[in-house]
Amino acid sequence: MIQIDKVLYTGKVRTTGGRDGEAHSDDGRLSLKLSPPESKGAGTNPEQLFAAGWSACYIGALGRAASKLNVALPSAPSVDAEVDLAMAGDAFLLQARLRVHIPGVDGEVARALVEAAHGICPYSKATRGNIHVDTVLV
């Protein structure tokens, strides 16, 4: 495990009630209701939140990768993240798909950016070897 030298930011959220509860950040910027996947509840679910966080982070990693590779990244890259809540026997698991769009960038260069970003993004690092992840350039 890599030893952290410097903490850049700590997100602090208190959740009550689990999948049927609420989540609130300590700074008041996040306040939302939670509902189980595919329920009629008014809230979002942990899988959607994870997909949103991962895709946002991944776009940042694309920018970092483009800078390292001296590539001009277009202003509109996007990532469609899908996070599955799944089962294997009695065990709950996650798996994910990241569909990366980098319009206006040559295919070979875009593939290099996707590969580099997957090595930079902390969410990708955290899941590597722990869950099945498909990263696809579209």
Side-chain angles (χ1 to χ4, degrees):
M1 181 181 314
I2 297 173
Q3 182 67 34
I4 292 175
D5 295 326
K6 179 181 177 183
V7 173
L8 301 175
Y9 173 76
T10 300
K12 297 178 184 179
V13 174
R14 172 172 284 180
T15 300
T16 57
R19 288 182 176 269
D20 286 309
E22 296 183 357
H24 304 276
S25 63
D26 67 331
D27 63 5
R29 297 178 80 183
L30 175 75
S31 180
L32 52 86
K33 293 185 182 302
L34 299 169
S35 299
E38 299 185 356
S39 75
K40 301 285 189 217
T44 186
N45 60 65
E47 292 73 29
Q48 289 173 329
L49 293 169
F50 190 67
W54 194 351
S55 57
C57 183
Y58 199 90
I59 290 171
L62 281 171
R64 184 81 160 210
S67 177
K68 286 184 173 189
L69 297 173
N70 293 318
V71 173
L73 192 64
S75 62
S78 63
V79 175
D80 296 323
E82 299 175 352
V83 174
D84 299 325
L85 175 61
M87 302 265 327
D90 291 338
F92 290 98
L93 301 169
L94 297 176
Q95 67 180 11
R97 290 164 303 287
L98 301 177
R99 295 193 177 7
V100 184
H101 307 264
I102 311 174
V105 175
D106 172 74
E108 190 173 313
V109 173
R111 278 187 281 288
L113 289 172
V114 166
E115 186 175 313
H118 203 55
I120 294 169
C121 176
Y123 283 76
S124 295
K125 289 178 184 178
T127 59
R128 187 171 296 115
N130 295 310
I131 69 170
H132 180 77
V133 178
D134 284 327
T135 306
V136 179
L137 176 64
V138 292

